[in-house]
Amino acid sequence: MAGTLRVLSLRGAEIAGWLPAVARLRIAVFREYPYLYDGDEAYEARYLATYARSPGGVLVVVLDGEEVVGASTGMPLAGTEAEFQAPFLERRMPIETVFYCAESVLLREYRGRGLGHRFFDEREAHARALGAFAWTAFAAVDRAEDDPRCPADYRSNAPFWARRGYVRQPDMTMALAWKQVDCETETEQALTFWLRRLDCAK
């Protein structure tokens, strides 16, 4: 990792001041495959504010000097929207026992330096410190293996997630709508959850 990089783990009121920079970063990174998200800052501001309001919310930021080049968020699943909770309720998993690890976004030139592990380390440590969680979870967008929009140099994060101890749950899916870069209107996208027992080894 470059010596100029700093990682901050922020909670509660500490989060609010960082949200505009994180919103811009999310828009830039999620525009890439596989999300192809054509985002706007107004929506991002509303979405990210939930992490600042959540008593158990956490924001991990990576700084190169004063520039935010990476960010990751998490909060108790019980504080998320109904779409996120429904697959757990259908499986009869108490949502109070699950900590939701949301996005991890990192500019391309900073990838491959161990920051993906740092994002998970910080959020899992935060969940353990809160003391109420047996599981961590996240959701990832589903794309066909032969999707023609997939760039030649794309590498799936699935092997990395599996090494972290996360297991894809094919029966735990949800649909979220967003405007893609190749569409004029919002379309629903399928996402599948991955789970990890919080007390298992990395």
Side-chain angles (χ1 to χ4, degrees):
M1 191 182 303
T4 58
L5 297 185
R6 292 182 293 141
V7 178
L8 305 179
S9 187
L10 309 163
R11 294 157 179 77
E14 299 174 323
I15 293 174
W18 297 91
L19 297 186
V22 174
R24 291 190 292 271
L25 181 67
R26 272 176 46 93
I27 290 171
V29 174
F30 280 144
R31 193 173 181 84
E32 301 173 11
Y33 188 88
Y35 284 87
L36 302 172
Y37 168 58
D38 187 10
D40 69 86
E41 292 192 23
Y43 168 81
E44 291 296 317
R46 293 193 300 274
Y47 163 74
L48 289 168
T50 60
Y51 294 92
R53 293 194 300 266
S54 171
V58 62
L59 167 65
V60 183
V61 295
V62 180
L63 300 175
D64 187 349
E66 298 303 315
E67 181 186 3
V68 176
V69 299
S72 187
T73 59
M75 66 186 297
L77 181 66
T80 63
E81 296 179 347
E83 295 91 336
F84 293 79
Q85 298 177 16
F88 295 84
L89 295 172
E90 290 169 8
R91 193 184 269 197
R92 300 184 183 277
M93 289 183 67
I95 60 173
E96 296 81 8
T97 66
V98 182
F99 188 85
Y100 180 66
C101 294
E103 65 279 308
S104 291
V105 288
L106 188 63
L107 293 178
R108 184 180 295 270
E109 57 267 36
Y110 295 90
R111 298 171 193 170
R113 306 188 191 187
L115 292 166
H117 282 293
R118 184 69 180 272
F119 284 148
F120 275 105
D121 288 344
E122 294 288 342
R123 290 178 298 176
E124 290 164 4
H126 175 71
R128 288 190 190 94
L130 292 174
F133 302 102
W135 299 89
T136 49
F138 65 87
V141 68
D142 297 324
R143 297 297 187 201
E145 290 186 7
D146 60 351
D147 192 317
R149 300 167 298 179
C150 181
D153 62 350
Y154 172 71
R155 291 196 311 167
S156 170
N157 283 321
F160 165 71
W161 296 330
R163 289 194 299 272
R164 290 288 313 187
Y166 286 87
V167 179
R168 189 173 183 271
Q169 309 295 312
D171 63 325
M172 297 183 70
T173 63
M174 66 176 173
L176 298 179
W178 65 78
K179 185 176 180 294
Q180 296 187 106
V181 295
D182 53 356
C183 297
E184 293 298 320
T185 59
E186 288 189 351
T187 54
E188 282 199 339
Q189 309 299 318
L191 297 94
T192 298
F193 281 89
W194 293 62
L195 297 181
R196 175 185 185 270
R197 285 195 176 275
L198 190 56
D199 59 354
C200 74
K202 287 193 266 235

